[in-house]
């Protein structure tokens, strides 16, 4: 199997770059800059290399660097953002801070002819995010793109097949970014496109059959897409040695607990234990308002529940989780900055009580997880369910979590989802839900004054959940949802719609 090496220099989009490459049916492997050498690269026979972005300056002594000999290995290289600057720096170029100001967001870029820009218009929109830029290009390179503020938006050394771009081709905000990556992977690197999700599923099942043979595995099943796919995959690998524990922490969507139990016990015949622990979680969360503390508390309490259940079941060797790529990236694993911790990544206590943790979906994005789910035979209704975070609606309630707030947001969320489905707008958005803001305002019902909470409706459109646009819902749908929520949910007096994209926001509020 041919593969592309993605070298991680600390950028938030590292995993996304790998995902974009894999969407071209070429395997991409991510390695930290300080965990791989030129000798390793030659030994592994990579067809191409991508230098990722990062928050540093190449002149910072603490910034991640690489052996300049990599440029003489005869392997094509594409540098992105910081990777572009590092490639230029290693080649003898000079980097400077942008005199006319930084560039952030959608930017018009002008392209010259280049193998990297085949089938790309001479002018199109790209996503910029930089302060430094390449002032003097290395000897043997030429300029192949520029913007109004950045004279060096891309460089090329066609002879050595070395390329650098200041913008981010991997994000959907760059109009022809995927075409550029395709040109690099297929035309410049010459990859055969011999990797797919069928292979991943089969390989994973065989891998866990061997690795987990004779071991008892306890899986944290939330009923969401990720843990559901992980459960079915592991069930096909180890069968009755898998026990799924579904912790109903009282922070689920309306009627979620009953649905999960019915689906996995009845439809799939998976060994499922349901633990009703709402009171326990609420007590731990009492008085807590900081979102990171909420996540840590919920994560640790999850593990404590699993340990207790494992004790009842006898010897359980391995803990399995539905962790996926965005969880890892946003929790700051590796070299990336922490955006928010996840209960199954950043929230794990050190003394978890199991000999190992298995995360069969750790290197997959949400759309890949769904594809795997369909290939494993899960019903489409389950595979394409709304994503739901491990900490539940705890990340959709600002301020202290109370039983009253839980019921309010559950009802508001159920109404919003009903109106979305009724208007067939569920196909417009990849994720939609309600948030309860810890803000009260005055309202009026009949002739009486009311004073209640604010519900925030959120809907986003995305294909990878690393970037997302807010969904342009019809006003009629928003009006219907708002009217029903304020009339049917006693305690909510105001409804607003969140029109913030990711970045700068995250999909979830907390």
């Amino acid at each position: 199997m041919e593969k592309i090496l993605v070298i991680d220099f600390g950028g938030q989009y590292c995993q996304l770059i790998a995902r974009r490459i894999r969407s071209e049916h070429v395997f991409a492997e991510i390695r930290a800059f300080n965990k791989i050498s030129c000798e390793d690269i030659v030994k592994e026979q990579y067809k191409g290399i991508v230098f990722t972005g990062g928050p540093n300056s190449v002149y910072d002594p603490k910034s991640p660097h690489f052996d300049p000999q990599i440029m003489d290995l005869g392997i094509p290289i594409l540098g992105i953002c910081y990777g572009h600057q590092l490639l230029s720096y290693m080649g003898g170029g000079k980097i400077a801070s942008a005199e006319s100001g930084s560039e952030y967001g959608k930017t018009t870029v002008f392209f010259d002819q280049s193998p990297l820009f085949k089938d790309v218009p001479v002018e199109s929109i790209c996503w910029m995010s930089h302060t430094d830029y390449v002032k003097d290009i290395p000897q043997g390179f030429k300029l192949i793109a520029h913007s109004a503020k950045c004279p060096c938006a891309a460089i090329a050394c066609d002879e050595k097949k070395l390329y650098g771009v200041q913008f981010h081709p991997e994000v959907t905000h760059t109009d022809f970014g995927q075409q550029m990556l395709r040109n690099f992977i297929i035309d410049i690197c010459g990859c055969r496109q011999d990797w797919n999700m069928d292979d991943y599923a089969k390989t994973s099942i065989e891998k866990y059959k061997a690795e987990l043979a004779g071991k008892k595995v306890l899986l944290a099943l939330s009923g969401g897409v990720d843990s559901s796919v992980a459960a079915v995959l592991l069930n096909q690998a180890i069968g009755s040695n898998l026990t799924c524990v579904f912790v109903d922490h009282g922070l689920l969507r309306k009627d979620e607990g009953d649905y999960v139990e019915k689906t996995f016990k009845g439809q799939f015949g998976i060994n499922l234990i349901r633990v009703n622990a709402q009171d326990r979680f609420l007590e731990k969360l009492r008085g807590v308002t900081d979102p990171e503390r909420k996540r840590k508390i919920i994560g640790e309490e999850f593990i404590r529940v699993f340990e207790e259940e494992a004790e009842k079941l006898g010897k359980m060797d391995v803990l399995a989780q539905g962790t996926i790529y965005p969880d890892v990236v946003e929790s700051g694993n590796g070299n990336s900055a922490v955006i928010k911790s996840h209960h199954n990544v950043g929230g794990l206590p050190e003394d978890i009580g199991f000999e190992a943790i298995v995360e069969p979906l750790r290197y997959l994005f949400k759309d890949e997880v769904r594809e795997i789910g369909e290939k494993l035979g899960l019903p489409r209704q389950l595979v394409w369910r709304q994503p739901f975070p491990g900490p539940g609606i705890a990340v959709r309630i600002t301020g202290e979590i109370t039983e009253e707030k839980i019921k309010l947001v559950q009802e508001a969320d159920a109404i919003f989802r009903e109106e979305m489905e009724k208007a067939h707008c569920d196909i417009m958005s990849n994720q939609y839900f309600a948030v309860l803001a810890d803000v009260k305002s005055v309202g009026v019902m009949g002739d009486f004054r009311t004073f209640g909470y604010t519900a925030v409706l959120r809907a986003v459109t995305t294909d990878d959940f690393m970037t997302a646009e807010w969904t342009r819902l019809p006003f009629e749908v928003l009006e219907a949802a708002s009217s029903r929520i304020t009339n049917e949910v006693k305690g909510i007096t105001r409804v607003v719609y969140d029109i913030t994209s990711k970045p700068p926001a995250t999909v979830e509020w907390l």
Side-chain angles (χ1 to χ4, degrees):
M1 177 178 62
E2 296 179 334
K3 54 188 178 181
I4 297 288
L5 170 65
V6 178
I7 300 182
D8 182 5
F9 290 106
Q12 292 295 335
Y13 296 139
C14 176
Q15 311 287 354
L16 180 54
I17 294 169
R19 173 65 193 100
R20 296 299 189 212
I21 294 170
R22 283 191 247 157
S23 70
E24 298 296 331
H25 301 293
V26 175
F27 183 74
E29 181 176 3
I30 299 169
R31 300 287 295 274
F33 73 96
N34 56 353
K35 299 292 178 63
I36 191 167
S37 65
C38 286
E39 290 77 13
D40 295 329
I41 292 171
V42 172
K43 182 180 179 181
E44 292 292 331
Q45 299 182 328
Y46 293 105
K47 295 286 288 183
I49 301 167
V50 176
F51 286 178
T52 68
N56 305 90
S57 165
V58 295
Y59 293 116
D60 184 344
K62 297 180 181 178
S63 66
H65 281 212
F66 206 80
D67 186 346
Q69 290 185 0
I70 194 172
M71 301 173 70
D72 297 318
L73 295 179
I75 302 172
I77 299 175
L78 173 62
I80 296 174
C81 198
Y82 173 83
H84 158 68
Q85 296 168 14
L86 182 60
L87 184 67
S88 301
Y89 174 77
M90 292 192 308
K94 292 185 179 179
I95 315 301
S97 293
E99 297 175 2
S100 57
S102 306
E103 285 182 307
Y104 293 98
K106 294 181 179 180
T107 304
T108 300
V109 175
F110 304 90
F111 301 98
D112 298 330
Q113 286 190 345
S114 168
L116 187 65
F117 301 141
K118 186 185 77 172
D119 296 329
V120 174
V122 296
E123 174 184 338
S124 72
I125 296 297
C126 296
W127 184 262
M128 288 283 194
S129 180
H130 71 100
T131 299
D132 293 352
Y133 76 104
V134 176
K135 183 177 181 181
D136 297 325
I137 66 173
Q139 186 175 359
F141 283 75
K142 62 182 179 181
L143 289 170
I144 55 173
H146 70 278
S147 70
K149 290 185 177 181
C150 184
C152 180
I155 59 172
C157 176
D158 293 326
E159 181 183 355
K160 291 186 174 182
K161 296 185 177 180
L162 306 177
Y163 301 87
V165 295
Q166 185 59 71
F167 51 86
H168 288 272
E170 71 276 15
V171 303
T172 54
H173 304 300
T174 296
D175 289 346
F176 289 87
Q178 189 64 32
Q179 180 63 46
M180 298 173 198
L181 292 175
R182 185 179 303 120
N183 292 338
F184 177 71
I185 299 160
I186 309 305
D187 297 342
I188 296 171
C189 297
C191 292
R192 288 195 304 262
Q193 298 174 282
D194 57 358
W195 185 79
N196 58 57
M197 289 284 82
D198 277 327
D199 291 340
Y200 188 93
K202 292 174 185 175
T203 301
S204 296
I205 291 170
E206 291 305 315
K207 169 184 170 166
Y208 291 117
K209 272 183 182 177
E211 289 185 2
L212 300 177
K215 293 185 182 295
K216 297 291 184 180
V217 179
L218 188 64
L219 171 71
L221 179 66
S222 70
V225 176
D226 306 331
S227 63
S228 296
V229 173
V232 174
L233 188 151
L234 289 174
N235 187 55
Q236 292 190 17
I238 61 174
S240 60
N241 280 338
L242 172 68
T243 299
C244 294
V245 172
F246 168 47
V247 177
D248 188 346
H249 47 24
L251 298 166
L252 301 171
R253 288 171 289 207
K254 186 178 180 181
D255 300 326
E256 188 95 56
D258 294 339
Y259 175 82
V260 170
E261 185 173 15
K262 179 181 177 181
T263 301
F264 287 91
K265 264 189 175 179
Q267 187 170 348
F268 293 106
I270 291 176
N271 182 21
L272 175 71
I273 297 172
R274 179 177 179 178
V275 183
N276 294 309
Q278 177 176 351
D279 293 342
R280 177 172 174 170
F281 277 86
L282 280 177
E283 181 60 33
K284 290 283 186 179
L285 292 166
R286 192 180 307 280
V288 178
T289 59
D290 180 73
E292 275 300 292
R293 280 196 63 206
K294 289 178 185 177
R295 287 176 176 273
K296 296 289 185 181
I297 288 169
I298 293 169
E300 180 160 351
E301 202 60 22
F302 257 98
I303 298 302
R304 295 309 172 206
V305 172
F306 292 145
E307 287 179 324
E308 292 169 12
E309 291 304 318
E311 211 171 305
K312 295 175 188 176
L313 292 166
K315 187 175 184 298
M316 300 299 289
D317 307 296
V318 177
L319 174 67
Q321 298 185 131
T323 309
I324 65 172
Y325 260 172
D327 299 338
V328 177
V329 174
E330 293 185 341
S331 294
N333 284 23
N335 302 299
S336 301
V338 176
I339 294 176
K340 57 186 178 182
S341 66
H342 290 251
H343 81 283
N344 54 352
V345 183
L348 284 174
E350 293 180 5
D351 54 333
I352 60 172
F354 298 90
E355 68 180 48
I357 295 176
V358 167
E359 298 168 322
L361 310 177
R362 184 180 180 86
Y363 299 109
L364 300 181
F365 280 83
K366 183 72 72 173
D367 56 322
E368 291 180 304
V369 173
R370 294 188 195 281
E371 187 178 345
I372 287 274
E374 289 191 324
K375 293 183 184 303
L376 291 174
L378 275 78
R380 185 173 178 81
Q381 180 184 357
L382 178 61
V383 172
W384 291 96
R385 289 183 71 211
Q386 282 287 295
F388 194 64
I393 54 179
V395 297
R396 295 176 183 174
I397 297 174
T398 64
E400 183 181 4
I401 296 171
T402 65
E403 192 170 352
E404 177 200 13
K405 287 183 178 180
I406 291 171
K407 289 179 180 177
L408 289 176
V409 75
Q410 283 177 333
E411 293 297 332
D413 180 74
I415 289 171
F416 184 38
R417 287 188 285 120
E418 285 174 14
E419 292 301 324
M420 288 284 286
E421 293 165 10
K422 187 189 302 181
H424 303 293
C425 287
D426 51 326
I427 61 174
M428 293 175 58
S429 175
N430 299 97
Q431 188 171 0
Y432 49 92
F433 52 88
V435 173
L436 190 73
D438 197 25
V439 177
K440 284 192 170 184
S441 61
V442 174
V444 59
M445 293 291 286
D447 295 324
F448 295 95
R449 174 187 183 275
T450 57
F451 188 59
Y453 289 101
T454 299
V456 182
L457 304 183
R458 177 85 160 133
V460 298
T461 303
T462 179
D463 60 358
D464 50 53
F465 285 86
M466 292 300 294
T467 61
E469 291 280 356
W470 63 276
T471 307
R472 277 64 173 172
L473 294 178
F475 291 146
E476 294 79 9
V477 175
L478 294 172
E479 181 182 23
S482 175
S483 177
R484 283 192 59 195
I485 290 170
T486 52
N487 278 280
E488 297 176 27
V489 186
K490 187 177 180 181
I492 295 179
T493 56
R494 196 172 298 269
V495 176
V496 298
Y497 186 52
D498 183 351
I499 60 169
T500 316
S501 294
K502 176 185 179 180
T506 52
V507 174
E508 297 288 351
W509 263 46
L510 303 173

